[in-house]
Amino acid sequence: MSGVSLSLAGTNALVTGASSGLGPFIARKLDEAGARVAIHYHQNRAGAEALAMDLNNPAEVIQADLGDLDQVSQLFHSASDKLGTISILVNCAAAESQLVSDLSELDPDRWAATQRTNVDAPLVLIKLFAAQGKPGSIINISSIEGSRPAPGHGHYSTSKAALEMLTKSAALEFGPDNIRVNAIAPGLIDREGIEEGWPEGVKAWKASAPLGRLVNPEDIASTALFLASDFSASISGTVITVDCGLSIKPGW
């Protein structure tokens, strides 16, 4: 297909939660394709600055607490002031998902904080992105828990389900402006120390996933690059599941 490319040369991207977890993988992948990246962090300034030094293109490092919606707005305005029009937005940051609590015992403040960071903050950023009046791609990082709840994770699963519906609603509303909105739903991601720290969980996952392994974070980053590029020009309102096939397993 003539003119279709994975190159992001000349584009500007904002990646939230870019200092740790999946964020650095996504930021690096966009950078490798030619995008300039605004690296958001909350507390891990050292990680954000180390990432910026590691990128090929000049990057901006911006701090914000996504639990404070005023700071969320300031984050976007700061990124656009420093880089110019933001044509790629990756909502990667998320409230801590490892808190395990039954809904019957969940602290209301924890519930509210999770929804604020995982749903309200992306909504603010999506609205500001659309207000630029320019075409572009928005990528929300969800989770397979958005459609397959896990015990003790009701607060997190609910937020990811809401994020996926927000993805589809935003794609519907902003499609006429040539703004594409998609989500990625990762499964259990391979990370340093996970097998030592949670051996029973990793063993169960590998036994259940048809591919028999954890999800490589590079594969999430590659999916984000695909969704940011011309190769996905006709894809919007979609949730791409990247879980080594786990979600196709029968539940009975």
CSV table of all heavy atoms in Angstrom, one decimal, residues 5-13 25-37 55-57 88 221-222 224-231:
chain,number,residue,atom,x,y,z
A,5,SER,N,3.0,3.6,6.3
A,5,SER,CA,4.3,3.4,7.0
A,5,SER,C,4.2,3.3,8.5
A,5,SER,O,3.3,3.8,9.1
A,5,SER,CB,5.3,4.6,6.6
A,5,SER,OG,6.5,4.5,7.4
A,6,LEU,N,5.1,2.6,9.1
A,6,LEU,CA,5.2,2.5,10.5
A,6,LEU,C,6.0,3.7,11.1
A,6,LEU,O,6.1,3.9,12.3
A,6,LEU,CB,5.9,1.2,11.0
A,6,LEU,CG,5.0,0.0,11.1
A,6,LEU,CD1,5.8,-1.2,11.3
A,6,LEU,CD2,3.9,0.1,12.1
A,7,SER,N,6.5,4.5,10.2
A,7,SER,CA,7.3,5.7,10.6
A,7,SER,C,6.4,6.7,11.3
A,7,SER,O,5.3,7.0,10.8
A,7,SER,CB,8.0,6.4,9.4
A,7,SER,OG,8.6,7.6,9.8
A,8,LEU,N,6.9,7.3,12.4
A,8,LEU,CA,6.2,8.3,13.1
A,8,LEU,C,7.0,9.6,13.1
A,8,LEU,O,6.8,10.5,13.9
A,8,LEU,CB,5.9,7.9,14.6
A,8,LEU,CG,5.1,6.6,14.8
A,8,LEU,CD1,5.0,6.3,16.3
A,8,LEU,CD2,3.7,6.7,14.2
A,9,ALA,N,7.9,9.7,12.1
A,9,ALA,CA,8.7,10.9,12.0
A,9,ALA,C,7.8,12.2,11.9
A,9,ALA,O,6.8,12.2,11.2
A,9,ALA,CB,9.6,10.8,10.8
A,10,GLY,N,8.1,13.2,12.7
A,10,GLY,CA,7.4,14.4,12.6
A,10,GLY,C,6.2,14.5,13.6
A,10,GLY,O,5.5,15.5,13.6
A,11,THR,N,6.0,13.4,14.3
A,11,THR,CA,4.9,13.4,15.3
A,11,THR,C,5.3,13.6,16.7
A,11,THR,O,6.5,13.4,17.0
A,11,THR,CB,4.1,12.1,15.2
A,11,THR,OG1,5.0,11.0,15.7
A,11,THR,CG2,3.7,11.8,13.8
A,12,ASN,N,4.4,14.0,17.5
A,12,ASN,CA,4.7,14.2,19.0
A,12,ASN,C,3.7,13.3,19.8
A,12,ASN,O,2.5,13.3,19.5
A,12,ASN,CB,4.4,15.7,19.4
A,12,ASN,CG,5.3,16.6,18.6
A,12,ASN,OD1,6.5,16.4,18.5
A,12,ASN,ND2,4.7,17.7,18.1
A,13,ALA,N,4.3,12.7,20.8
A,13,ALA,CA,3.5,11.7,21.6
A,13,ALA,C,3.6,12.1,23.0
A,13,ALA,O,4.6,12.5,23.5
A,13,ALA,CB,4.0,10.3,21.3
A,25,PHE,N,8.7,0.8,27.6
A,25,PHE,CA,8.7,0.0,26.4
A,25,PHE,C,7.9,0.8,25.3
A,25,PHE,O,8.4,0.8,24.1
A,25,PHE,CB,8.0,-1.3,26.7
A,25,PHE,CG,8.9,-2.2,27.6
A,25,PHE,CD1,8.6,-2.2,28.9
A,25,PHE,CD2,9.8,-3.1,27.0
A,25,PHE,CE1,9.4,-3.1,29.8
A,25,PHE,CE2,10.6,-3.9,27.9
A,25,PHE,CZ,10.4,-3.9,29.2
A,26,ILE,N,6.8,1.3,25.6
A,26,ILE,CA,6.0,2.0,24.6
A,26,ILE,C,6.7,3.3,24.2
A,26,ILE,O,6.8,3.6,23.0
A,26,ILE,CB,4.6,2.4,25.2
A,26,ILE,CG1,3.8,1.0,25.5
A,26,ILE,CG2,3.8,3.3,24.3
A,26,ILE,CD1,2.5,1.2,26.2
A,27,ALA,N,7.2,4.1,25.1
A,27,ALA,CA,7.9,5.3,24.8
A,27,ALA,C,9.1,5.0,23.9
A,27,ALA,O,9.3,5.7,22.9
A,27,ALA,CB,8.4,6.0,26.1
A,28,ARG,N,9.9,4.0,24.2
A,28,ARG,CA,11.0,3.6,23.3
A,28,ARG,C,10.6,3.2,21.9
A,28,ARG,O,11.2,3.6,20.9
A,28,ARG,CB,11.8,2.5,24.0
A,28,ARG,CG,12.6,2.9,25.2
A,28,ARG,CD,13.6,1.8,25.6
A,28,ARG,NE,14.3,2.1,26.8
A,28,ARG,CZ,13.9,1.7,28.0
A,28,ARG,NH1,12.9,0.9,28.1
A,28,ARG,NH2,14.6,2.0,29.1
A,29,LYS,N,9.5,2.5,21.8
A,29,LYS,CA,9.0,2.0,20.5
A,29,LYS,C,8.6,3.2,19.7
A,29,LYS,O,8.9,3.2,18.5
A,29,LYS,CB,7.9,1.0,20.7
A,29,LYS,CG,7.5,0.3,19.4
A,29,LYS,CD,8.6,-0.7,19.0
A,29,LYS,CE,8.8,-1.9,19.9
A,29,LYS,NZ,9.7,-2.9,19.4
A,30,LEU,N,7.9,4.1,20.3
A,30,LEU,CA,7.4,5.3,19.5
A,30,LEU,C,8.6,6.2,19.1
A,30,LEU,O,8.7,6.7,18.0
A,30,LEU,CB,6.5,6.1,20.4
A,30,LEU,CG,5.2,5.4,20.8
A,30,LEU,CD1,4.3,6.4,21.6
A,30,LEU,CD2,4.4,4.9,19.6
A,31,ASP,N,9.6,6.3,20.0
A,31,ASP,CA,10.8,7.0,19.7
A,31,ASP,C,11.6,6.4,18.6
A,31,ASP,O,12.1,7.1,17.7
A,31,ASP,CB,11.7,7.1,21.0
A,31,ASP,CG,13.1,7.6,20.7
A,31,ASP,OD1,13.2,8.9,20.5
A,31,ASP,OD2,14.0,6.8,20.7
A,32,GLU,N,11.7,5.1,18.6
A,32,GLU,CA,12.4,4.4,17.5
A,32,GLU,C,11.8,4.6,16.2
A,32,GLU,O,12.5,4.6,15.1
A,32,GLU,CB,12.5,2.9,17.8
A,32,GLU,CG,13.4,2.5,19.0
A,32,GLU,CD,13.2,1.1,19.5
A,32,GLU,OE1,12.4,0.4,18.8
A,32,GLU,OE2,13.9,0.7,20.4
A,33,ALA,N,10.5,4.8,16.2
A,33,ALA,CA,9.8,5.1,14.9
A,33,ALA,C,9.8,6.5,14.5
A,33,ALA,O,9.3,6.9,13.4
A,33,ALA,CB,8.3,4.6,15.0
A,34,GLY,N,10.5,7.4,15.3
A,34,GLY,CA,10.7,8.8,14.9
A,34,GLY,C,9.9,9.8,15.7
A,34,GLY,O,10.1,11.0,15.4
A,35,ALA,N,9.0,9.4,16.6
A,35,ALA,CA,8.2,10.4,17.4
A,35,ALA,C,9.0,11.1,18.4
A,35,ALA,O,10.0,10.5,19.0
A,35,ALA,CB,7.0,9.7,18.0
A,36,ARG,N,8.7,12.3,18.7
A,36,ARG,CA,9.2,12.9,20.0
A,36,ARG,C,8.2,12.6,21.1
A,36,ARG,O,7.0,12.7,20.9
A,36,ARG,CB,9.4,14.5,19.8
A,36,ARG,CG,10.5,14.9,18.9
A,36,ARG,CD,10.8,16.4,19.1
A,36,ARG,NE,11.1,16.7,20.4
A,36,ARG,CZ,11.2,18.0,20.9
A,36,ARG,NH1,10.9,19.0,20.1
A,36,ARG,NH2,11.6,18.3,22.1
A,37,VAL,N,8.8,12.3,22.2
A,37,VAL,CA,7.9,11.8,23.3
A,37,VAL,C,8.0,12.7,24.5
A,37,VAL,O,9.1,13.1,25.0
A,37,VAL,CB,8.3,10.4,23.7
A,37,VAL,CG1,7.4,9.8,24.8
A,37,VAL,CG2,8.3,9.4,22.5
A,55,LEU,N,16.6,7.8,24.8
A,55,LEU,CA,15.9,7.9,23.6
A,55,LEU,C,16.7,8.5,22.5
A,55,LEU,O,17.7,9.3,22.8
A,55,LEU,CB,14.6,8.7,23.8
A,55,LEU,CG,13.6,8.1,24.8
A,55,LEU,CD1,12.3,8.9,24.8
A,55,LEU,CD2,13.3,6.6,24.5
A,56,ASN,N,16.4,8.3,21.3
A,56,ASN,CA,17.1,8.8,20.1
A,56,ASN,C,16.7,10.3,19.8
A,56,ASN,O,17.6,11.1,19.5
A,56,ASN,CB,16.8,8.0,18.9
A,56,ASN,CG,17.2,6.5,19.0
A,56,ASN,OD1,18.3,6.2,19.3
A,56,ASN,ND2,16.3,5.6,18.7
A,57,ASN,N,15.5,10.6,20.0
A,57,ASN,CA,15.0,12.0,19.8
A,57,ASN,C,14.9,12.8,21.0
A,57,ASN,O,14.7,12.2,22.1
A,57,ASN,CB,13.6,11.9,19.1
A,57,ASN,CG,13.6,11.1,17.8
A,57,ASN,OD1,14.4,11.4,16.9
A,57,ASN,ND2,12.9,10.0,17.7
A,88,ILE,N,-0.2,11.8,19.1
A,88,ILE,CA,-0.3,10.4,19.7
A,88,ILE,C,-0.4,10.6,21.2
A,88,ILE,O,0.4,11.2,21.8
A,88,ILE,CB,0.9,9.5,19.3
A,88,ILE,CG1,1.1,9.4,17.8
A,88,ILE,CG2,0.7,8.2,20.0
A,88,ILE,CD1,2.4,8.9,17.4
A,221,ALA,N,4.2,-2.9,23.3
A,221,ALA,CA,4.7,-1.7,22.7
A,221,ALA,C,4.6,-1.8,21.2
A,221,ALA,O,4.3,-0.8,20.5
A,221,ALA,CB,6.2,-1.6,23.1
A,222,SER,N,4.8,-2.9,20.6
A,222,SER,CA,4.7,-3.1,19.1
A,222,SER,C,3.2,-2.9,18.7
A,222,SER,O,2.9,-2.3,17.7
A,222,SER,CB,5.1,-4.5,18.7
A,222,SER,OG,6.5,-4.6,18.9
A,224,ALA,N,1.1,-1.0,20.3
A,224,ALA,CA,0.9,0.5,20.4
A,224,ALA,C,1.4,1.2,19.2
A,224,ALA,O,0.8,2.1,18.6
A,224,ALA,CB,1.5,1.0,21.7
A,225,LEU,N,2.6,0.8,18.7
A,225,LEU,CA,3.2,1.4,17.5
A,225,LEU,C,2.3,1.2,16.3
A,225,LEU,O,2.0,2.1,15.5
A,225,LEU,CB,4.6,0.8,17.2
A,225,LEU,CG,5.2,1.2,15.9
A,225,LEU,CD1,5.4,2.7,15.8
A,225,LEU,CD2,6.6,0.5,15.8
A,226,PHE,N,1.8,0.0,16.2
A,226,PHE,CA,0.8,-0.3,15.1
A,226,PHE,C,-0.4,0.6,15.1
A,226,PHE,O,-0.8,1.2,14.1
A,226,PHE,CB,0.4,-1.8,15.2
A,226,PHE,CG,-0.8,-2.2,14.3
A,226,PHE,CD1,-0.7,-2.2,13.0
A,226,PHE,CD2,-2.0,-2.4,14.9
A,226,PHE,CE1,-1.8,-2.6,12.2
A,226,PHE,CE2,-3.1,-2.8,14.1
A,226,PHE,CZ,-3.0,-2.8,12.8
A,227,LEU,N,-1.0,0.8,16.3
A,227,LEU,CA,-2.2,1.6,16.5
A,227,LEU,C,-1.9,3.1,16.3
A,227,LEU,O,-2.8,3.8,15.9
A,227,LEU,CB,-2.8,1.4,17.8
A,227,LEU,CG,-3.5,0.0,18.0
A,227,LEU,CD1,-3.9,-0.2,19.5
A,227,LEU,CD2,-4.6,-0.2,17.1
A,228,ALA,N,-0.6,3.5,16.5
A,228,ALA,CA,-0.2,4.9,16.3
A,228,ALA,C,0.1,5.2,14.8
A,228,ALA,O,0.1,6.3,14.4
A,228,ALA,CB,1.0,5.2,17.2
A,229,SER,N,0.3,4.1,14.0
A,229,SER,CA,0.8,4.3,12.7
A,229,SER,C,-0.2,4.3,11.6
A,229,SER,O,-1.4,4.0,11.9
A,229,SER,CB,1.9,3.2,12.4
A,229,SER,OG,1.2,2.0,12.2
A,230,ASP,N,0.2,4.5,10.4
A,230,ASP,CA,-0.7,4.5,9.2
A,230,ASP,C,-1.2,3.1,9.0
A,230,ASP,O,-2.3,2.9,8.3
A,230,ASP,CB,0.0,5.0,8.0
A,230,ASP,CG,0.4,6.4,8.0
A,230,ASP,OD1,-0.2,7.2,8.8
A,230,ASP,OD2,1.2,6.9,7.3
A,231,PHE,N,-0.5,2.1,9.5
A,231,PHE,CA,-1.0,0.7,9.2
A,231,PHE,C,-2.3,0.4,9.8
A,231,PHE,O,-3.0,-0.6,9.5
A,231,PHE,CB,0.1,-0.3,9.7
A,231,PHE,CG,1.2,-0.6,8.7
A,231,PHE,CD1,2.4,0.1,8.8
A,231,PHE,CD2,1.0,-1.5,7.7
A,231,PHE,CE1,3.4,-0.2,7.9
A,231,PHE,CE2,2.0,-1.8,6.8
A,231,PHE,CZ,3.2,-1.1,6.9
